[in-house]
Amino acid sequence: MIVAPDSPFSAARPAVSTPESAFDPELGWFQDGPAQGYADHGSPTMSLMASSEPAPRHTLDSAEMGAIAHLYRGEVYRSTIWRTRLDNTTNWAIVTMGIALSTTFSSPEASPLPLVLVGLLLAVFLGMEARRYRYFNVWRARARWLERNFYAPIFTGEAHDDSWKDVLARDYTAPRHHISFVRAAGRRLRRNYVWILAIQATAYYGKIAIHPTPALTLTELIDRAAVGPIPGWIVLIMGFAYNFGWLAFALGTMWLDQREHGTKGDQVAMG
């Protein structure tokens, strides 16, 4: 029914403003106003912007395809650079451990203290490597995301959802780390540093067991672990707490990774 402007029906019904489009940060696209609005007096009205038609899909042209190819090359290059920086930190830890081993086993009378102090340096190197891994993971995640959602559908010929472009666009407009410092440290610990720490512990207990002569009793072994005024039994307890603390940290961060991404971590792309 068409109502004239001077009709009494037009005066009885208050005007309802047309809802405006709003950007939904959770969905990542512009959505129309609500399907139902309410006038000042509370009566429901239908939105003129609501539509059940699917949004048109954007097809990439040749120029955009070339730009994405160059973008992928750049992300791979940056991830390679930060991967090299990760390897440098691991090399520092290995060289430092080698120096401590050489000093400790240089003679039977040499002190095992360098093997104790090198544990502090290993913790510092692990912290540095965890920080670098967080940056490396940003570039790696973007390159992996392009491989799974852009290149893989080209090879398989399967249709893919265009929402992957929204995820990547948000990561460029609001960049952030995809992994926490704790989880990054746990990953580097499980992959590299757990073996370095195992060598450190084995070398330390082997040193006090065989030098200067093989220990014949447990009491003699404990006495050799003494560092200055600190009794040997306290040093050994601190050593066990140190090693089992790293083990608990590795297992705890592995549980955090599994809770975040499941047990199949190789299928993780963004983060």
Side-chain angles (χ1 to χ4, degrees):
M1 178 180 66
I2 301 177
V3 181
D6 55 349
S7 171
F9 293 98
S10 61
R13 185 179 181 85
V16 180
S17 60
T18 302
E20 297 181 353
S21 298
F23 181 78
D24 191 336
E26 298 294 332
L27 299 178
W29 56 72
F30 283 93
Q31 64 172 358
D32 294 334
Q36 288 185 348
Y38 287 88
D40 294 340
H41 65 290
S43 61
T45 59
M46 293 300 296
S47 169
L48 300 177
M49 300 293 293
S51 176
S52 60
E53 297 180 357
R57 298 180 61 179
H58 174 66
T59 303
L60 299 174
D61 55 27
S62 58
E64 292 172 333
M65 297 275 284
I68 292 179
H70 287 292
L71 176 65
Y72 173 73
R73 292 176 59 189
E75 297 296 352
V76 170
Y77 174 76
R78 289 198 286 188
S79 65
T80 303
I81 293 298
W82 281 89
R83 176 68 193 185
T84 303
R85 301 192 68 186
L86 288 177
D87 294 339
N88 288 339
T89 315
T90 305
N91 291 338
W92 297 344
I94 294 174
V95 170
T96 306
M97 175 60 65
I99 295 174
L101 290 174
S102 300
T103 304
T104 302
F105 288 93
S106 59
S107 66
E109 291 77 17
S111 172
L113 187 59
L115 285 174
V116 177
L117 297 179
V118 78
L120 301 177
L121 284 176
L122 292 179
V124 172
F125 290 148
L126 178 59
M128 295 173 59
E129 191 160 329
R131 177 182 175 276
R132 293 180 176 185
Y133 182 83
R134 297 184 74 195
Y135 284 95
F136 158 77
N137 188 65
V138 173
W139 323 128
R140 179 209 62 83
R142 290 176 179 174
R144 185 74 183 109
W145 191 256
L146 286 169
E147 290 171 355
R148 290 194 60 188
N149 297 282
F150 179 71
Y151 288 104
I154 292 177
F155 297 144
T156 60
E158 298 177 355
H160 58 276
D161 188 3
D162 283 345
S163 61
W164 69 271
K165 291 183 287 188
D166 298 324
V167 175
L168 190 60
R170 285 196 298 268
D171 195 62
Y172 278 113
T173 55
R176 62 178 180 83
H177 292 295
H178 300 155
I179 185 173
S180 65
F181 179 85
V182 173
R183 287 175 54 208
R187 287 187 182 181
R188 302 314 296 167
L189 175 63
R190 294 193 303 272
R191 285 167 172 77
N192 290 334
Y193 283 79
V194 65
W195 309 110
I196 302 176
L197 293 171
I199 293 174
Q200 177 201 16
T202 304
Y204 175 79
Y205 292 111
K207 171 65 179 180
I208 63 177
I210 65 175
H211 282 171
T213 58
L216 301 179
T217 62
L218 180 61
T219 303
E220 184 180 0
L221 180 69
I222 295 176
D223 292 339
R224 291 181 182 179
V227 177
I230 305 177
W233 65 272
I234 294 181
V235 176
L236 290 178
I237 290 178
M238 294 175 61
F240 280 112
Y242 173 82
N243 290 292
F244 281 101
W246 284 123
L247 180 61
F249 183 78
L251 295 177
T253 52
M254 182 175 65
W255 175 80
L256 290 177
D257 272 343
Q258 292 179 353
R259 187 186 66 173
E260 184 74 18
H261 300 298
T263 56
K264 296 182 179 180
D266 56 339
Q267 295 184 0
V268 176
M270 288 297 267

